[in-house]
Amino acid sequence: MNKLALLTIAIATTHTAQADVEFLHWWTSQGEQKALTVLKQQLNENQITLSPSPVLGGGGDSAMTVLQARAIAGNPPSFAQIEGPSIKAWDAIGILHDVDSVAKKHQWDEILYPLTIQINKSDNGYVALPLTLHRLNWLWVNHSLLQQLNQPVPTTWHEMFSVMELAKSSGINPLAVGEQPWQIAQLFENLVIATGGVEFYSRAMVDLKSDSINSDTLRQALKQLRRLSLLTDNQLDDDKWDTATTALANNQALFQLGGDWILGELMAKGISVPSQIGCYPTPESDGVFLYNMDSLIFMASKSFNAQQASTTANLLADKQFQAQFNLVKGSIPVRMDIDINHYNPCQIQSYQDFKQALDKKKAVPSMIDSMAVNPVAQQAINSEIFRFYRNKQLTEETVIKRIIAIAESN
Ligand code: GAL
């Protein structure tokens, strides 16, 4: 047989050794893509080719809609990014490969935080692979613009509003935020914590208790959201969260409020954090750790069997990979046995604040970012908050009535 024929067979053989796995996700920003490259490399180094299926839309609402459509059509991806209670909802449908054998091999019961276990383990054992722990109650500060205004970093919303008003009157965009429901609702979530404290936040936004929703405290939080809406006049090119981060990084905005995926974005841009852009707890949320967690579910189909799922999950459960992925993503590890001393100072602070919040029972799930209620109620409430922010005619009463109606139908 001539050399060309042998070479062709060799290439063909090599190629079939590389199984393709399709991953549905919403990591489309520069920083998220950099983290995704770590995941891609981990699989490639083990003869698995990743076929990413990105769905635009930070926060994942669109991605979850696409995932449902694909599952109903009997054409699910091999694995998908997912968060919170949706994991057990998908498990209940019975189309997930469990990852219990991987959990046992990696001793997840011993090395994962209890809240990580609670989110990813159902009565059927581990049904999702936990990957990141993000903190949402972060205020990102452009230090040079704050210095220009000769102001200290705000620790109360009273100080926050006054420095934002000063920025606006000085021609500086006070707050970079994309006008999307989940981003605006994220502002509101922080105002609820600041106004009523973490127990009130849990009753009103996690448990959706009507008497907490129909309260002067929530009205006060809505009043402050209205005040924010009158202050932010974004001239961003589009409404994506990472476009807001670009404005913050380019000295076109004083603040951005949001999860530490923003840190991943800033690091990917080569911004020096925390010296150029600083990270601080959002005003009046000190001691609180408002979190979300990215997990992966592995979906049964003709093209992705239990063995393939187990092989893929085993690689993504690897400690070194998890350590490197979180380092780049801006999050902290979901497992207790990873040394993060070489991580960014903001991640080290996040880790320390998380441990303290656990001790003081002040670690709470983000409702607006899929960690507390079912996606229908979450998206409906986010939309009502967004309407109130956009429509200055809408009253607090109207919004409160609508949120209660959603809560009671939940
Ligand atoms: C969150 C997700 C993060 C980050 C963010 C912005 O829901 O957990 O990983 O990507 O959306 O898209």
Side-chain angles (χ1 to χ4, degrees), residues 370-389:
S370 314
M371 295 303 292
V373 302
N374 76 65
V376 173
Q378 171 213 328
Q379 289 176 35
I381 292 172
N382 287 1
S383 301
E384 289 307 329
I385 294 165
F386 184 54
R387 286 157 61 99
F388 175 78
Y389 177 89

Side-chain angles (χ1 to χ4, degrees), residues 26-27 32 57-60 81 83 132 134 182 241 261 292-294 329 369-370:
W26 62 89
W27 289 326
E32 291 169 333
Q81 176 186 358
E83 298 159 296
T132 68
H134 276 296
W182 77 284
W241 69 266
W261 46 82
N292 89 314
M293 181 178 294
D294 290 305
K329 188 71 174 58
D369 199 2
S370 314

Side-chain angles (χ1 to χ4, degrees), residues 61 180-182 184-186 188 205 208 213 218 222 225-226 367-368 375-407 409:
D61 293 351
Q180 294 173 336
W182 77 284
I184 300 305
Q186 197 176 172
F188 180 65
M205 301 292 277
L208 299 181
I213 297 167
L218 205 83
L222 284 167
L225 182 66
R226 174 60 45 75
M367 187 286 286
I368 68 93
V376 173
Q378 171 213 328
Q379 289 176 35
I381 292 172
N382 287 1
S383 301
E384 289 307 329
I385 294 165
F386 184 54
R387 286 157 61 99
F388 175 78
Y389 177 89
R390 291 284 286 266
N391 178 348
K392 315 303 181 203
Q393 313 312 317
L394 265 185
T395 64
E396 291 106 29
E397 294 319 307
T398 308
V399 177
I400 282 175
K401 279 200 187 75
R402 288 188 176 153
I403 295 178
I404 287 175
I406 295 162
S409 68

Side-chain angles (χ1 to χ4, degrees), residues 8 246 283 289 306 335 372 387 408:
T8 310
T246 302
F289 191 94
R335 45 193 288 176
R387 286 157 61 99
E408 288 176 350

